Amino acid sequence: MNRLRVRQALEATAPVENIVVKGWVRTKRENKGFAFIELNDGSCLMNIQVIADEGIPGWDAIDKVTTGASIAVEGSLVESPGKGQKWEVRAAGIKVVGEADPETFPLQKKRHSDEFLRSIAHLRPRTNKFGAIFRIRSEASYAIHKFFHDNGFAYVHSPIITGSDCEGAGEMFRVTTLDPASTEAKAPENDFFGQEAALTVSGQLTAEIFATSLGDVYTFGPTFRAENSNTPRHAAEFWMVEPEMAFADLSDDMDLGEAFIKSVVGHLRKHCAEDLELFAKWVDKGLTETLDSIENNEFVRLPYTEAIEILKKNAKTKKGKSRFEYPVEWGVDLQTEHERFLTDEHFKRPVIVYDYPKDIKAFYMRMNDDGKTVAAMDILVPRVGELIGGSQREERLDVLKKRIEELGLTEEDYWWYMDLRRFGSVPHAGFGMGFERLLMMVTGVSNIRDVIPCPRTPKHLEF
C-alpha cells in the first residue's frame, strides 16, 4: 500500500491505486448504502473526501466514524465527479484507529472563538485557522534558516541558562535548585552554579562571541522575560532570531534586516499561499496589501530626530484633535501608534528609524559622535509597527566601560564581553526579531497567544 498524505493526494496528477490515507474526521454524512467522510491529516488546509460503500471491511464500525475520530482508509485515488475537488478516495476498507465521543468532543462544525480555543490548546491545531498558523510557523522557521544559510551565516546555539542580563531590564526568571524558603536560598554561592542564574532574555551576547570568531552568525531559539504583562503582544516565553555580523556597521545592519524580511515574506507567499489566503479572507482584509507593501517596496530610512519632527507636525488632526494618545518629544521612545502613523499613513510602506537617543537604548549600542545618540535602528512595518530592533555594537573598550558605569552595571559581570574589545576588536552589528511578531505580521493575527503552540503568560502554564 502507498501511504499518501492528504496534500499529496490533492496534488496528484493521475489516479493512484492501492493507497492508504490516515487522518481525523472533520464531518461524515451517511446515505442509504454509502457514506461521505471529510478527512484531514494536518498536511494542508483542504480536506479530502472519502466515499465508503456499505459492506466494505470496517463498515460495521461506521457509527464510530464521528467528528474528531482518527481513521485509516485503504482504497484508490480517483477523479471526483463533484465540484470543489479534483480527487476523492474510493474506500476499499476503513479502520477506526481512535474513537472520539461525539457527546464530549469540543470541536464541532462551527466557528469557535479564539478565547475558547486557547482553553483547549491541545486540540486547536485541528481547526482550519490554527492548523494554518502552525504550518506557516513551521515553514517560516525553515525560511529563516534557509535565508541565513544561503547568505553564509553560521547557526549558533546560544545557552538558555545565563548569568548575564543582556537587556538590563531586570525582568528575568530565576533558575535555582534551592528551596526558596530555606536560608540557603539567600546565598547564591550555595546554588547549583555557585551564583545567581536565570533564563536568557536574548542570545545576542553569545552571537557576539561567535561573530568575532566565525564572522557572520545567527541564533534562533527560545527566550524568556518575567514581564507581568497581559497585552496581546507580550508572552513570557517566545522565540528570537538574532543575527550578528563582524566587520559591519549600522548601514549593513539595515541592509540585512530589509533583505531578511523581504526574503521570508516572499518565501511564505510562495509556499503557504493557501493558508495565507485563509487569513486574508477571514482575519485581516488588508493582509495582502500589507504583504505587498513589505515585499515590493524599498524601505524608508529615517533618522529618529526627523521621525520626531514628522510626528510633532502631525500631532493634531485636521479638526484640531490630538492624533496620539502618547505625547511626542525628542528623547521619548516611539509607541505603536507613532510607528503605525509613519508606516500606514505618512509613508505607506516600511520605515527604518535609526540613531536613537542613548538614554532609551541598551549599554552595548555604539555611541555616535554627537554624544547624544547611538547607532540603533528599528524596522517598522505597516499594520504592526516595530518588527526588528538592532544596532551597531560598541567595539571601543573605553567607551563601553563608561557606558556600563553610567547605567550602574557591574563591569566584572561582563569581563569576557570586555575581552572581545581587548583582543582584536572589530566593528560589528546585529538585530533581534521576535519570531511570533513576524507570524502576527504575515497572518494578521492580533494576539501573540494564537501564534505560539502553548502560550506562557502570567498565571497561565497549561499544556
Side-chain angles (χ1 to χ4, degrees), residues 1-9 18-26 37-44 46-50 68-75 77 89 91 93-98 126:
M1 285 289 180
N2 180 22
R3 167 81 190 277
L4 287 184
R5 299 295 302 273
V6 169
R7 173 177 285 281
Q8 292 173 310
N18 298 320
I19 65 166
V20 176
V21 289
K22 300 178 180 181
W24 292 268
V25 176
R26 288 292 178 85
I37 301 166
E38 292 287 325
L39 196 65
N40 191 287
D41 65 357
S43 61
C44 63
M46 295 291 293
N47 306 323
I48 194 160
Q49 181 171 268
V50 176
S70 58
I71 64 173
V73 180
E74 296 182 4
L77 186 69
V89 175
I94 291 180
K95 179 182 178 181
V96 176
V97 178
R126 296 196 199 175

Side-chain angles (χ1 to χ4, degrees), residues 246-274:
F247 303 98
D249 60 16
L250 186 64
S251 179
D252 298 318
D253 207 26
M254 292 189 281
D255 289 343
L256 179 70
E258 181 172 347
F260 169 66
I261 292 172
K262 288 182 175 180
S263 175
V264 175
V265 168
H267 180 98
L268 292 176
R269 298 187 83 180
K270 179 179 179 180
H271 295 279
C272 298
E274 181 186 55

Side-chain angles (χ1 to χ4, degrees), residues 328-450:
V328 181
E329 293 293 341
W330 197 96
V332 303
D333 209 354
L334 299 183
Q335 301 295 319
T336 301
E337 61 176 348
H338 305 143
E339 297 167 347
R340 290 192 57 179
F341 174 80
L342 293 171
T343 58
D344 296 24
E345 298 185 47
H346 192 77
F347 291 106
K348 301 186 186 301
R349 56 184 167 137
V351 177
I352 306 178
V353 179
Y354 64 95
D355 287 349
Y356 279 84
K358 68 173 185 177
D359 292 338
I360 59 174
K361 291 298 179 180
F363 75 95
Y364 51 75
M365 298 184 177
R366 195 183 198 277
M367 186 72 69
N368 288 328
D369 293 341
D370 60 13
K372 299 189 302 180
T373 63
V374 290
M377 65 92 178
D378 289 334
I379 299 183
L380 318 178
V381 295
R383 301 174 75 88
V384 173
E386 181 191 341
L387 179 62
I388 278 177
S391 70
Q392 183 176 342
R393 318 309 188 187
E394 184 56 77
E395 86 279 9
R396 299 165 294 185
L397 181 61
D398 57 336
V399 179
L400 184 61
K401 281 184 176 181
K402 183 178 179 182
R403 192 80 176 109
I404 286 176
E405 183 180 339
E406 283 178 0
L407 294 175
L409 302 175
T410 304
E411 186 177 325
E412 289 73 19
D413 291 342
Y414 300 93
W415 65 269
W416 53 271
Y417 194 67
M418 311 297 280
D419 271 1
L420 298 178
R421 278 75 181 164
R422 290 189 180 94
F423 309 130
S425 184
V426 299
H428 56 289
F431 62 74
M433 183 197 74
F435 183 42
E436 286 75 22
R437 188 71 62 85
L438 170 74
L439 296 171
M440 292 168 71
M441 179 193 78
V442 298
T443 61
V445 169
S446 59
N447 197 312
I448 193 171
R449 294 164 179 81
D450 297 329

Side-chain angles (χ1 to χ4, degrees), residues 31 58-59 62 64 95 131 141 175 217 246 280 296 320 341 360 456:
N31 290 321
W59 179 264
I62 196 69
K64 297 178 181 178
K95 179 182 178 181
S141 299
V175 176
V217 303
N296 300 320
F341 174 80
I360 59 174
R456 301 297 186 232

